[in-house]
């Protein structure tokens, strides 16, 4: 059975589209992890499913009922879903047992004794039976979030929505909440989990959605997304790629100190040591001057684009130098018979400092790729 179907969901704020024509189908029993950078619309998407945020356009079906239809019984459809937020939203004036029993008694007309029995059972499952009479202020953040999960389960939802359930917790408390969610994976529940815990997302989901550019940028199995992402932004997010770019348009106006200072600041920001920082600076400087001489020997105007990518996960550094002008292979020039070795001593040093190097000439552009 299809539990969620989203067709053309669009939502803007101040003229900026955060979600653009998003489409998604979720089958019963699927466990879907939603990942992506801050502000990409992950939480907004979950809130839209319950119409806590009103879409600008599009249709949303929950267990076959259109919640966006005019005249839809929104409250009744919402009862199909349970939502666990970043913050716990427990009633501070009620104890744990009262927090859990309030909604099923008031909304489902469940007898209080039955509600208490069910609440005690859920508290036992999450290891908090001894906290039934405690008030929220007496609980840790992790305990409050476990209670919030129990509160959602009290309504017997078919769908559970988790909006970064560990983001407000001290790191020491994250594990206890993730353990409860792992337990729920074994039940016949459909779950959508917005999370920044990549290892957890990989473990509990059977599908991963990466959000970017206003919607689902790439999706697949955990193995496909975490081990073999295909699209550029997914790769950068999964491997935590960071970038430094620098453009040079004139030999005369080229500011070497500015370029080197930018590289130093970039390296310092991401904790690269001095040895690797100096290697980046040296390689960039030598390659720029090689193309000054080889591709633009008699010209002042140049078109050289320098890019550095640092993969935080693998610790690899890739330097890419794009240059217009005449075709020029710096490593080949270094090896040519008759060439003065001292003219290319910098290239020789670059060769020794890099793990890999590669040159191509396509579309009237030189490209050197160095891997440190």
């Amino acid at each position: 059975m299809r539990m969620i179907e989203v067709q053309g969901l669009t939502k803007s704020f101040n003229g900026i589209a955060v979600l653009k024509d998003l489409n998604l189908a979720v089958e019963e029993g699927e466990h879907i992890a939603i990942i992506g950078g801050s502000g990409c619309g992950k939480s907004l998407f979950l809130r839209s499913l319950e119409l806590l945020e009103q879409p600008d356009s599009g249709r949303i079906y929950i267990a076959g009922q259109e919640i966006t239809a005019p005249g839809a019984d929104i409250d009744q459809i919402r009862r199909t879903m349970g939502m666990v937020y970043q913050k716990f939203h427990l009633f501070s004036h009620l104890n744990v047992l009262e927090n859990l029993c309030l909604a099923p008694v008031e909304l489902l007309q469940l007898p209080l004794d039955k509600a208490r029995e069910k609440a005690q059972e859920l508290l036992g499952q999450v290891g908090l039976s001894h906290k039934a009479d405690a008030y929220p202020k007496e609980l840790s953040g992790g305990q409050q979030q476990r209670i919030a999960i129990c509160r959602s389960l009290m309504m017997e939802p078919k769908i559970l929505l988790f909006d970064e359930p560990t983001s407000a917790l001290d790191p020491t408390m994250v594990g206890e909440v993730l353990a409860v969610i792992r337990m729920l994976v074994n039940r016949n529940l459909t779950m959508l989990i917005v999370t920044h815990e990549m290892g957890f997302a990989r473990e509990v989901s059977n599908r991963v959605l990466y959000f970017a550019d206003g919607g689902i940028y790439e999706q697949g199995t955990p193995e496909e997304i975490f081990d073999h992402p295909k699209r550029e932004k997914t790769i950068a997010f999964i491997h935590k790629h960071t970038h430094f770019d620098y453009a040079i348009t004139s030999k005369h106006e080229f500011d070497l100190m500015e370029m080197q200072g930018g590289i130093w600041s970039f390296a310092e920001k991401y904790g690269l040591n001095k040895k690797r920082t100096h290697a980046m600076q040296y390689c960039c400087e030598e390659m720029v001057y090689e193309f000054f001489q080889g591709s633009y020997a008699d010209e002042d105007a140049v078109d050289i684009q320098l890019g550095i990518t640092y993969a935080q996960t693998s610790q690899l550094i890739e330097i890419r130098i794009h240059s217009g002008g005449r075709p020029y292979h710096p490593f080949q020039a270094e090896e040519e018979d008759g060439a003065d070795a001292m003219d290319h001593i910098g290239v020789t040093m670059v060769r020794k400092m890099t793990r890999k190097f590669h040159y191509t000439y396509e579309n009237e552009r030189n490209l050197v790729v160095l891997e440190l």
Side-chain angles (χ1 to χ4, degrees):
M1 178 181 177
R2 183 158 292 176
M3 297 303 296
I4 299 173
E5 185 168 357
V6 180
Q7 301 174 354
L9 178 62
T10 298
K11 178 66 177 179
S12 300
F13 292 98
N14 300 319
I16 299 173
V18 181
L19 299 176
K20 297 181 287 188
D21 194 29
L22 188 151
N23 298 281
L24 177 68
V26 180
E27 301 299 326
E28 184 176 12
E30 276 199 277
H31 306 136
I32 295 178
I34 302 174
I35 62 174
S38 299
C40 68
K42 306 183 300 296
S43 296
L44 175 62
F45 172 65
L46 286 197
R47 292 176 60 81
S48 297
L49 294 180
E50 289 199 310
L51 293 195
L52 298 176
E53 295 286 351
Q54 186 68 42
D56 298 333
S57 61
R59 294 182 174 182
I60 300 171
Y61 296 86
I62 305 297
Q65 300 182 77
E66 185 184 352
I67 194 171
T68 49
D73 188 342
I74 295 174
D75 289 338
Q76 185 272 326
I77 297 173
R78 280 176 176 163
R79 290 173 195 171
T80 309
M81 296 178 280
M83 184 86 161
V84 179
Y85 302 90
Q86 298 177 25
K87 296 185 178 178
F88 325 119
H89 299 301
L90 299 177
F91 292 110
S92 60
H93 65 289
L94 301 179
N95 66 29
V96 166
L97 206 60
E98 291 167 339
N99 265 283
L100 295 185
C101 294
L102 181 63
V105 169
E106 294 293 327
L107 299 178
L108 301 181
Q109 305 303 310
L110 189 68
L112 181 58
D113 60 335
K114 295 290 185 183
R116 286 177 174 272
E117 182 181 337
K118 185 175 182 179
Q120 290 285 8
E121 180 184 347
L122 287 172
L123 288 174
Q125 292 175 11
V126 301
L128 291 175
S129 296
H130 60 296
K131 295 293 185 179
D133 297 322
Y135 285 83
K137 67 179 181 181
E138 300 169 347
L139 304 175
S140 69
Q143 290 170 337
Q144 289 188 60
Q145 192 63 293
R146 281 188 276 167
I147 298 301
I149 294 172
C150 289
R151 181 180 54 189
S152 291
L153 294 173
M154 287 291 293
M155 298 295 288
E156 297 189 352
K158 296 179 181 178
I159 300 166
L160 273 179
L161 309 175
F162 292 91
D163 184 11
E164 297 199 35
T166 62
S167 65
L169 299 179
D170 184 280
T172 60
M173 302 175 187
V174 169
E176 63 192 73
V177 174
L178 297 185
V180 172
I181 301 175
R182 287 188 186 96
M183 176 187 72
L184 297 176
V185 167
N186 297 320
R187 302 186 181 185
N188 190 31
L189 286 168
T190 303
M191 298 167 61
L192 274 67
I193 308 168
V194 171
T195 182
H196 58 270
E197 303 282 348
M198 296 298 105
F200 173 71
R202 179 177 189 138
E203 177 186 350
V204 302
S205 64
N206 44 40
R207 184 159 42 130
V208 179
L209 312 181
Y210 173 65
F211 269 46
D213 295 346
I216 302 170
Y217 181 82
E218 185 171 351
Q219 63 178 301
T221 64
E223 182 181 4
E224 289 170 337
I225 296 299
F226 291 111
D227 294 338
H228 308 290
K230 295 182 174 62
R231 303 190 66 189
E232 180 181 0
K233 290 184 179 181
T234 316
I235 293 170
F237 180 82
I238 295 301
H239 297 297
K240 296 184 179 179
H241 288 185
T242 54
H243 305 275
F244 170 79
D245 297 294
Y246 192 83
I248 304 167
T249 57
S250 166
K251 290 183 188 177
H252 178 70
E253 296 180 2
F254 171 52
D255 189 336
L256 175 62
M257 292 300 102
E258 180 184 68
M259 183 186 80
Q260 300 293 45
I263 294 171
W264 183 273
S265 296
F266 171 77
E268 190 173 53
K269 179 178 180 180
Y270 295 106
L272 294 169
N273 61 36
K274 288 184 179 180
K275 181 178 180 180
R276 302 195 84 190
T277 302
H278 289 147
M280 283 192 295
Q281 290 178 315
Y282 185 86
C283 290
C284 290
E285 178 179 348
E286 291 301 327
M287 287 296 101
V288 166
Y289 280 113
E290 277 291 320
F291 281 116
F292 277 0
Q293 298 170 14
S295 292
Y296 295 101
D298 303 314
E299 305 168 51
D300 179 64
V302 301
D303 179 10
I304 297 176
Q305 304 289 329
L306 168 69
I308 300 174
T309 299
Y310 171 52
Q312 296 179 57
T313 303
S314 64
Q315 302 288 299
L316 290 178
I317 297 170
E318 182 184 84
I319 301 172
R320 301 172 72 89
I321 302 99
H322 287 266
S323 175
R326 290 178 290 279
Y328 178 69
H329 189 330
F331 297 103
Q332 191 175 72
E334 173 206 16
E335 296 170 349
E336 284 179 351
D337 291 339
D340 186 339
M342 293 305 295
D343 288 344
H344 302 282
I345 187 65
V347 177
T348 302
M349 293 298 295
V350 168
R351 183 193 290 269
K352 291 180 178 180
M353 297 171 75
T354 57
R355 294 157 51 106
K356 296 180 182 177
F357 55 88
H358 179 66
Y359 169 85
T360 56
Y361 183 79
E362 293 181 358
N363 301 318
E364 300 183 343
R365 301 282 295 177
N366 298 280
L367 170 64
V368 167
V369 181
L370 309 173
E371 186 177 296
L372 305 184

